[in-house]
Amino acid sequence: MAVVDHAGRVRPTPRRSWLGAIADLSETRYWAYWLLVPALVLILAVVLYPTVWGIGLSFREMRLNRLDLGTGFVGLKHYRALVEDPIFWLSLQNTVIWTVTACVGELLLGLAVALLLNREQRGFRVAAVLILLPWFLPNVVAGHMWALMLDPRLGVVNDLLVKVGILSTYKAWFADPNWAMAAALLVEIWHGFPFFALLLLAGLKAIPQDLYEAAAIDGAGPLTRFRYVTLPQLKTIIVASVVLRVISLVNSPDILLILTGGGPGRSTMVLSLYAFLKVNKEFNFGYGSALAVVLFVLLMVFSYLYVRLANVMKD
Amino acid sequence: MQFDRRQLLGGLAATPLAGLIPGSAFAQKAGINYWHHFTSTTEFKGLERVMALFKAKFPDIAVTQENIPNPEYMSKMTAAVVANARPDTCMVVAERAGDLVAMGGLTDVTARIKAWSRFGEYPAQAWQGSTVGGKIYGIPAFTFVNWMYYRKDWFAEKGIAPPKTFAEFLEASIKVTDPSKNRFGFSLRGGAGGQSWVVDLIEAWGSPIVVDGKMAIDKKKATEAVAFYAELLTKHKVVPTSAPNDGYRQIMEAFKTGQTAMVMHHTGSLTEIQAALKPEQFGTLPIPAGPAARIARVTYLFNGISNPAKLDAAMRWIEFWAEPEPAIAFLEETGYFPSSPKVAQDERITKNPIYGAAVETTTFGRLPPMFVGYAGWSETVVLPEFQKVLVGRQTAEQAVDAMMKGLEAALR
């Protein structure tokens, strides 16, 4: 390319800086897509690639301590084994019990606490911070702390229950398959309810006071106001927080790992813990990945149906 | 002196390059890291003393220790192998060696070890723990000898002789159990870590586990062993009701706080027991004999090299643990047996009666099972199946069936 100057001489086009090239590009319709590239690369690298790789692993033989078996493609072998595996079905059942009970318990307790803290009373701000404390505790710390509190020899809970006459002797909560899940759920609900309390409290603060005043003028009592004003206004937050919490409960076996290790006799074994044990104790990455894929699909289906159901109700 | 922004950024960018300048302080010291799963204060004190002695002898090699909790040790090692971020050196218990070698977590150092001046000091058994497929992957650092603690004062009170067989053990457990005093005969480890005792009892009742790489459990003998062990809770009620979930901490607390009369563990817990009970209150015994064999494990805990990038420095470190000075320092802090028989002749061991049971055990003790997949099978099959018997959800026979099936799957 060349340009002609004012005297009619032909001169080469001056070399443009890279900044100039970018400036030109920014004027085009593709500029927005270029701006998305860094974020896209990051997402591909840290989200999509590991997910796809993990799914691919579930179709391959991958036992880290049996590399002699190779790492070839085995098709649906792990999924077939999974269908015939009674521990998988037990874990699935336990996962549903664990997730539903913990989520409902945390939601109800969180809602009650949020409603309480929404009142403008002296000292409630301090109480709000204190109530959030369990959520700040890492799962590992909370698990060990409760393991000690529920200990059949040294635990303060047994001591209190015996003193008030509810128990005649100390109970080994985590050694009894009829009680182990319930005791672990108590710990999980205690640990997780501030999550709901925090989000719901934020939602309650955002509800316009006019709505309550209008309802009161129409003769609505506290329960009616709660049903027709508070709950509908909180619905979006409830839906979002339940989805987030269910995902977290299904995926994080740490509290159960610390309190029971899935026992006694697998009575508290959940799918995420089973997958963890398959990978980290048996080094069977293929089977562990198949379990993880099943969890992934179940969570996708749940999230889709739940959000859709919530929208249908709204309509 | 003032810097503009360009100079400052340039200086920061150049900083890492300074380490590459020959002769600089960065290049002089070989730094290696060491992963271990020590947990107690005494173990840490022992480690500190060994590190201090090493620093004095090898000032040019800086060792950085990193503690990984034992239950997460294999997870962390697995992640490190997968991510190619292995430590230079690491602690390995014999029953994990097979899995670690199979996943590429340990480096073959056979030639180096055979050329090492202290190689001949060790009995052949000491090397079995760190040998996989004929290759040696580490040097024994110290030894755990399984034994039993018992309440000497309670036994004397009841006029019971210390048990030598499991039949006598049961009899003593029944006699010493007194629910009104919240006293039980034995601390049964039915929670985390309890699987190895189940396997030991199965062998003590005469059943092998694996022969020539194939499942070899004798169903009848194994069932009798599992039934005997579970009935301590389900029938005789001579163990605390918390047994199905009791791990190391719980069984030791039960013994230390006067809830149980006997507990099986290894020499590594001696300092903890000594700190809690007076010498006249407790004694040590070899593990009782079963109907077919007396099974007690002598576990050589060795140090291996995971990442061979700094092989020379790493070898210096793992060899150092076998030297008399650090071995005795470690013994003084922890009570752990030196791995070298030569060092174990130290009179602090031979003249101390509390070590008598351990010294006796070394004459018949055997290594833990070491086939590939043992750790996973014992932890994810043996333990939960045994727990189900403990809580009355299945019979011993059903548990053994599941163990046999699980073992076949693990070996397949």
Side-chain angles (χ1 to χ4, degrees), chain A residues 63-67 69 151-153 172 174-175 177-178 259-260 263-267 276 280-283 285, chain B residues 71 74-75 78 99 102-103 241-242 244-246 250 254 259 372 376 379-380 384-385 387-388 391 393 410-412:
Chain A
R63 283 166 69 177
L64 217 52
N65 59 354
R66 292 295 306 277
L67 292 177
L69 298 175
D151 187 272
R153 293 169 199 88
F174 298 118
N178 300 314
L259 294 175
T260 66
R266 300 197 189 92
S267 59
F276 171 82
N280 287 290
K281 304 292 179 190
E282 296 180 23
F283 313 110
F285 280 67
Chain B
M74 286 303 275
S75 314
T78 311
D99 285 337
M103 70 172 71
T241 52
S242 57
N245 194 48
D246 282 352
Q250 288 78 22
Q259 194 189 12
V372 171
E379 207 167 332
T380 64
E385 295 303 335
Q387 285 177 336
K388 281 191 197 171
V391 298
R393 291 208 164 171
L411 296 169
R412 203 177 293 141

Side-chain angles (χ1 to χ4, degrees), chain B residues 203-283:
Chain B
E203 285 192 46
W205 256 250
S207 167
I209 306 297
V210 169
V211 175
D212 296 331
K214 297 255 168 31
M215 196 284 290
I217 293 177
D218 180 317
K219 187 176 168 181
K220 187 171 172 287
K221 289 172 181 167
T223 303
E224 283 171 13
V226 171
F228 172 86
Y229 201 37
E231 283 174 0
L232 294 174
L233 173 67
T234 58
K235 185 177 171 187
H236 305 295
K237 304 192 187 309
V238 294
V239 302
T241 52
S242 57
N245 194 48
D246 282 352
Y248 171 77
R249 185 46 44 212
Q250 288 78 22
I251 59 166
M252 295 314 274
E253 289 304 326
F255 184 74
K256 281 161 44 183
T257 57
Q259 194 189 12
T260 56
M262 292 180 278
V263 63
M264 294 194 288
H265 195 243
H266 55 63
T267 42
S269 48
L270 178 61
T271 49
E272 186 179 341
I273 299 290
Q274 280 175 323
L277 297 170
K278 293 173 189 155
E280 62 272 21
Q281 287 182 304
F282 81 99

Side-chain angles (χ1 to χ4, degrees), chain B residues 32-47:
Chain B
I32 55 166
N33 61 344
Y34 173 57
W35 282 14
H36 61 86
H37 45 78
F38 289 129
T39 45
S40 67
T41 320
T42 55
E43 286 176 329
F44 272 95
K45 279 185 184 165
L47 176 63

